[in-house]
Amino acid sequence: MKFLAITLIVHRPDPITGVQKSTHDRFREVLDSALLADDLGFDGFGVGERHERPFISSSPTVVLSHVAALTKRIRLFTAVTTLSLLDPVRAYEDYATLDHLSGGRLDLIIGKGNGTAQRDLFHVTPEDQWDRNAESYEVFRKIWRQDKVSADTRFRPPLTDAEVWPRPYQQPVRVWHGSATSKESVDLAARCGDPLFSANVTHPIEPYAELIRHYRERWEYYGHDPAQIAVGAGTAGIHVAPTSQQALAAYRPIFESNLTFFRKAGLPIVFETLEDFVERSSALIGSPQQVIDKVHRYHEQFGHTVLHLHTDASGLTDSQHRASLELFQSKVAPVLRREIPDPPFVWGPVLPAPPLTQELPDV
């Protein structure tokens, strides 16, 4: 199993102290988190893309380029690239450049990812967002694979024998499809033969497991080898402590603060108590063995081989959060790496095979 550290770069007051860091300090915190993830041995570091409050992750290519310059090993993920909002030509140019600068360490997770405010900002409607997402990805996919591209598009000017530069480093970049509730994104992933990344954050396991089962059915419907399926899954939070009592005691004020925030904002409450949240959500809160057992329970339903964890402290102190991630990597990750397989592809740059060399005959 592989492990990603993910941030959506939420920028709001700390749920416990009420203090909100400056924008500058929040970005510095993201860079520090990337370095910590690299040092601790995480397999990937992901940055979301949002264009509405309370997020400041509107330019993931810029952030990931800086992370690429600071690190050498860790793979770089988007979480998610909102292609329904973007011109696919411009998105290709940005990500192909980032891929070259990072030495082929880029993986994309694409998705609709649209709240109302960012849909309005980009004049995208609930009725056309799925068509926009599919069209943008089809054009993006063509550009990455073809030197000249023609496309009769609805949502941007058509392309006729268009050349887009720079040409890619990875051939092609691996693209995961982020999915939360929609069969449209799942079907697009299966049709293209691409891996799926389940959000698995807001609700209990059942709706996510149903979508993953649908993905597997559509994958075979489109004629792909079932052995080549790769599924990733998210988590709703993390705090690993030596004992379950310590984990719950540290996380309880965070949960209660978030519950108050959701109620004031008029947001739906899915989990009324911390105990229910720990039991039925995807949050990994407990002792190392409890976390191992919970990931296995989810794996029985998902068959996932990649797991993402939140890289932000989210109300924990910096020392608590670092200790939690260190404990995860020392006590949890090694067990899960042994017991759950990796994805069915090389975890590294997707490069073309080297040309065959022909030996000259002896003379």
Side-chain angles (χ1 to χ4, degrees):
M1 178 169 254
K2 300 294 187 183
F3 302 99
L4 314 182
I6 297 287
T7 178
L8 302 182
I9 321 187
V10 176
H11 190 224
R12 67 182 182 93
D14 184 283
I16 303 302
T17 67
V19 174
Q20 180 165 323
K21 296 183 178 181
S22 70
T23 300
H24 177 80
D25 288 345
R26 184 69 182 95
F27 279 125
R28 294 305 311 176
E29 186 176 55
V30 170
L31 298 178
D32 290 341
S33 294
L35 288 170
L36 178 61
D38 198 31
D39 290 343
L40 291 180
F42 279 88
D43 303 291
F45 183 80
V47 174
E49 179 184 340
R50 298 291 188 277
H51 301 270
E52 59 187 337
R53 186 181 297 181
F55 306 98
I56 53 172
S57 50
S58 57
S59 299
T61 49
V62 177
V63 177
L64 288 172
S65 290
H66 200 118
V67 172
L70 296 174
T71 59
K72 299 293 185 184
R73 176 197 59 83
I74 199 166
R75 288 195 69 76
L76 310 173
F77 280 73
T78 61
V80 299
T81 296
T82 52
L83 274 182
S84 63
L85 307 180
L86 306 177
D87 183 318
V89 175
R90 191 70 184 96
Y92 166 83
E93 292 171 336
D94 284 343
Y95 282 112
T97 301
L98 168 56
D99 198 37
H100 277 281
L101 294 175
S102 67
R105 287 190 281 146
L106 177 65
D107 273 52
L108 292 179
I109 306 176
I110 68 164
K112 172 183 66 65
N114 289 344
T116 301
Q118 64 181 15
R119 274 204 311 265
D120 292 345
L121 188 64
F122 288 89
H123 296 280
V124 173
T125 69
E127 292 74 28
D128 70 20
Q129 59 187 348
W130 291 113
D131 291 339
R132 285 177 179 272
N133 186 65
E135 177 182 290
S136 289
Y137 180 53
E138 288 167 4
V139 173
F140 183 94
R141 183 181 174 90
K142 278 185 179 182
I143 296 172
W144 208 285
R145 288 165 169 78
Q146 301 174 16
D147 291 338
K148 293 185 177 182
V149 173
S150 296
D152 185 15
T153 51
R154 289 174 54 200
F155 301 108
R156 59 145 290 125
L159 300 170
T160 303
D161 289 334
E163 296 182 352
V164 188
W165 299 92
R167 296 313 301 146
Y169 184 77
Q170 293 190 86
Q171 299 184 24
V173 68
R174 183 173 296 110
V175 177
W176 303 68
H177 293 245
S179 168
T181 60
S182 168
K183 288 187 176 181
E184 286 90 341
S185 57
V186 166
D187 190 79
L188 180 62
R191 176 161 55 86
C192 294
D194 293 332
L196 183 74
F197 216 106
S198 173
N200 189 37
V201 170
T202 306
H203 301 286
I205 188 173
E206 289 78 16
Y208 305 112
E210 181 181 349
L211 276 179
I212 291 172
R213 287 192 293 270
H214 181 69
Y215 168 68
R216 293 179 182 277
E217 292 169 1
R218 299 303 290 174
W219 179 278
E220 294 193 44
Y221 171 83
Y222 287 116
H224 303 303
D225 181 359
Q228 296 305 306
I229 285 178
V231 174
T235 56
I238 180 170
H239 184 49
V240 189
T243 68
S244 60
Q245 293 83 358
Q246 290 171 307
L248 288 171
Y251 208 86
R252 189 174 300 279
I254 299 168
F255 176 82
E256 291 175 351
S257 175
N258 288 335
L259 200 61
T260 299
F261 174 82
F262 293 154
R263 285 179 173 143
K264 286 182 177 178
L267 299 173
I269 305 299
V270 180
F271 307 102
E272 291 280 356
T273 67
L274 175 60
E275 286 71 21
D276 188 34
F277 180 66
V278 171
E279 176 63 27
R280 294 195 304 123
S281 83
S282 60
L284 302 179
I285 300 168
S287 68
Q289 189 59 53
Q290 286 174 315
V291 170
I292 291 167
D293 292 343
K294 188 168 188 178
V295 173
H296 271 293
R297 290 200 303 272
Y298 271 71
H299 179 70
E300 289 173 3
Q301 296 291 321
F302 291 173
H304 61 307
T305 53
V306 180
L307 182 71
H308 92 45
L309 308 172
H310 290 278
T311 189
D312 300 317
S314 302
L316 295 168
T317 66
D318 290 343
S319 61
Q320 284 175 323
H321 186 53
R322 183 181 182 112
S324 171
L325 294 180
E326 289 175 344
L327 193 57
F328 180 89
Q329 284 290 30
S330 64
K331 299 296 185 182
V332 177
V335 176
L336 295 176
R337 289 186 193 278
R338 288 195 306 269
E339 296 178 351
I340 296 177
D342 285 343
F345 43 71
V346 175
W347 194 262
V350 183
L351 300 177
L356 296 174
T357 58
Q358 184 174 6
E359 295 184 5
L360 297 176
D362 294 332
V363 293

